[in-house]
Structures are given as structure tokens and as C-alpha cells.
Amino acid sequence: MEIKSNGVKSGWLKNMIIKRLYFDKAMSCAGLSQLFDKSIPSIAKAINELIKEGFVIEQGFAPSSGGRRPLMYAINTNAMFILAVAMDQLSARIQLIDLNNNPVAEMATVELKLHNNDNALPELIDHLNNYIQESGIAKNKIAGIGIGMPGFINAIEGINYTYLDAGGESLSKYIYKATGITTYIDNDSSLIALAEQKFGIARSQQEVMVINLGWGIGLGMIIDGKIFRGYNGFAGELSHIPLSDNGALCVCGKRGCLEAEASMLVVAEKAEEGIKKGRVTSLRPHNGQSKLMGDALMEAANQGDQFAIELLTDAGYKIGKALAILIHIMNPANIVLSGRGAKVGRILMAPIQQALHKYCIPRLSSGTELLISSLGFDAELIGAAVLVMENFDKEEKAK
């Protein structure tokens, strides 16, 4: 089907080739023929048309394997662009990137509180339209908008049941109408898992649990090579695993949830309290600005600040206790620490492992490897781009 928003002039096969070259970087006609079960002449014809249209380039010959070396084809990374948006409860990052996931315009980071903010959606749309206008990139050169956001999300229908109320309408369709660009939304943790599987440390792996260490604690699950969403799309709420009956009150209304005990917001609040009580630390008060305190705390911990390390160690142990439950249920090959908090992943590793040793059956935990993301804070933005390209060959449901 024709993707009108990005200028591709025809058909499913050409869109599939563009999609595949985005993920695999370079392929030969023979490789694409085998992948799509199409004749080599059909693939060659589509490739030649895509070269003329500026979407594909020749990348030279493959290394010799004892015969005639095949000519390899790659995506023209500047043929079109993707508007990637990474949201959390407090802010949104907006980044225009090319087909190699590299930025082509300066990233905008805007304050955008989602909780109890009826203006959050119009504010987001204003930020998107302003960013597009200031980028100078024509809308018909933007393949789509991909948005990662917290909340209970039906990605197929484009609805967020927690934040950004569109009056009952699909949020994806609402944003499309307001921007003129095909839009897809998904849960932030699911997109981080998608990024890790496609371009990160979990690339091509089939059974992976990806922990999104942000202001909350999210979970993206890759099972049998696919994002697992559960019965109605809401699987992965690791934040609300109950750690105790008498713990802190969570925003969900229950007590003792992991998020209320160990999220970065909670760690930031504990840092503020510690400073007021005179704890020795290089940290300075941020007067309740949790985002600033959280970033400062992670930086201080990496510089050896003992108070910051102590706070993260306590959080890491609680996260490890929750991961023990996850391992007992899912028996994953790998658990990846990703998102904002990956920058202190090495500090969190020891207390997480300590908790796993205490709470996990050794036969299970010994088969699971704990990994630190190389994508880190960029994972959600890359996942938002992947979301657009995952849908590139499909009918535009967002419209």
C-alpha cells in the first residue's frame, strides 16, 4: 500500500524493502528475494525504482565467499526522516532523526507534566508543530511520528487510558489530524524493549526482559522474539509488584509497590530529605524539582558520592527483589537494565545480584544474565523510530 506521507510512489514490496534495509542496513537482491519469496527480477526492478526515487543506494560488493560477490544495497539515510518522541511523567524529548537513527535537528526537551494536566495533549501538539516548523523539514519528508509514553496503552487502537485524553478518540488519529503526519503511540517501556531488540544489547534475541529505569520502573517483555502485551495490552506493570503491605503509598492507590519504594522519583525525594537532615554529600537541594535532583544524584553516584550510592544501593536491592519474582515466572535468558537509569547500571548491579541470591532459586537465576544497555537514555527515542518503521509496510491505521 502506498505511504503517502513520505513520498514513496508505489507498493507493498518497495515499502518492505525500505523497512528491511532500515533494520538490516545492507542486503543483496538474492537475500531480499529469499526473504520476501519474490523472484530476483521482481526485486531488482523494485530496487532500481527505489534508487531512481532516492530511497536506496548501492553500497558496494559483499566480502568474497568463494564466488561472484553480490552487489549490496542500503537505505539512503536522508531519503526521509522520523520524528521520535520520548515522554515520561514530567517532560518530553522531541528529536528528528534519519534512517540510521542519527539526529538531523537539535533535540527539544520540554517540560510536560502528564498527571492531573488537562492541557497536556494540546501542549504536546503545540510542541510537535513548533518543532516541525523550526526544523525546516517538509512534512512529506517525515515518514511518521513515533511516540513513547507512560500509561495503559492500546497500541493498535492508539489509545492511552491513563494520560492525554483525546475525548474518547484515538490519540494517534487526534495527533495525525493536528500535525498532518501519520502517528503511532506505544508504552515507553515496550518501545525501549523494541529498541534493545532491534539495535541494542538484546539484538535478535528471543527471550528478554527489559527494565525501564526511569522516573517509574517499567518492563518491556520480548517473548518468542515479539513484544508481549498480555490479554488486553497492559502486561509489564513491574512498577506495581507489591513488595510490602505497609510500605509507602503509590500513585495507584496501593501501598508497598515497587515504584513507591525504589523509583528514581522516590530516590530523589529521599535525597532531598537526607540533605535537610544534614547528610554529608556533594548534592545540593533542588527544592522538590525531582527531575533535576534525580539527574544530579546519578551523576554524583558515578563520581563516588557515598550518600548517592547508598540511596541507589537501597533502590537496587528492592528492584532485585522484584526481578526475583519476574525470573521465577518468566525464566528469561537475559534481563537488560535500560532507560534513564542505565547510566548508574554498574552501581545497581551489585545490590540487584545480592537480592537475586537471597530471593531467587539458584537453578533459575543462574540461567539469567543481567546486562546493562548500551543505548541507555536514547533507547526510548530509538524505539519510537522503530515503531514508525515497524508499521511502514502496513495500512495507516493512524488515519
Side-chain angles (χ1 to χ4, degrees), residues 190 193-194 197 202 204-210 219-231 235-236 326 329-334:
S190 291
L194 197 59
Q197 186 198 32
S204 301
Q205 295 188 26
Q206 300 295 300
E207 311 291 334
V208 187
M209 303 289 107
V210 180
L219 170 65
M221 295 188 283
I222 299 169
I223 299 176
D224 196 22
K226 300 177 182 177
I227 296 292
F228 178 75
R229 301 183 185 280
Y231 171 67
L326 184 64
I329 295 171
M330 301 305 299
N331 186 30
N334 297 287

Side-chain angles (χ1 to χ4, degrees), residues 223-292:
I223 299 176
D224 196 22
K226 300 177 182 177
I227 296 292
F228 178 75
R229 301 183 185 280
Y231 171 67
N232 56 6
F234 305 146
E237 284 299 317
L238 184 72
S239 275
H240 301 291
I241 285 182
L243 295 184
S244 66
D245 292 329
N246 301 311
L249 182 66
C250 182
V251 292
C252 74
K254 302 184 185 301
R255 289 193 176 274
C257 292
L258 176 63
E259 181 168 313
E261 299 285 341
S263 72
M264 198 58 66
L265 281 179
V266 170
V267 174
E269 289 170 2
K270 289 181 178 178
E272 292 277 7
E273 292 171 4
I275 292 169
K276 290 177 182 177
K277 292 178 180 178
R279 291 296 302 267
V280 176
T281 177
S282 62
L283 292 168
R284 295 293 176 263
H286 286 277
N287 301 317
Q289 298 183 64
S290 299
K291 180 177 180 295
L292 294 177

Side-chain angles (χ1 to χ4, degrees), residues 6 9 18 20 26 38 47 69 72 98 156 222-223 231 233 236 284 299 331 336 368 398:
N6 55 43
K9 295 181 179 178
I18 290 173
R20 187 44 46 201
K38 295 288 183 181
I47 286 284
R69 294 189 300 163
M72 304 297 286
D98 65 18
I156 294 175
I222 299 169
I223 299 176
Y231 171 67
R284 295 293 176 263
E299 186 65 31
N331 186 30
V336 179
T368 298

Side-chain angles (χ1 to χ4, degrees), residues 184-209:
Y184 302 95
I185 70 167
D186 205 342
N187 176 267
D188 51 354
S189 298
S190 291
L191 289 190
I192 287 173
L194 197 59
E196 296 293 351
Q197 186 198 32
K198 297 298 184 181
F199 294 109
I201 199 167
R203 181 157 189 158
S204 301
Q205 295 188 26
Q206 300 295 300
E207 311 291 334
V208 187
M209 303 289 107

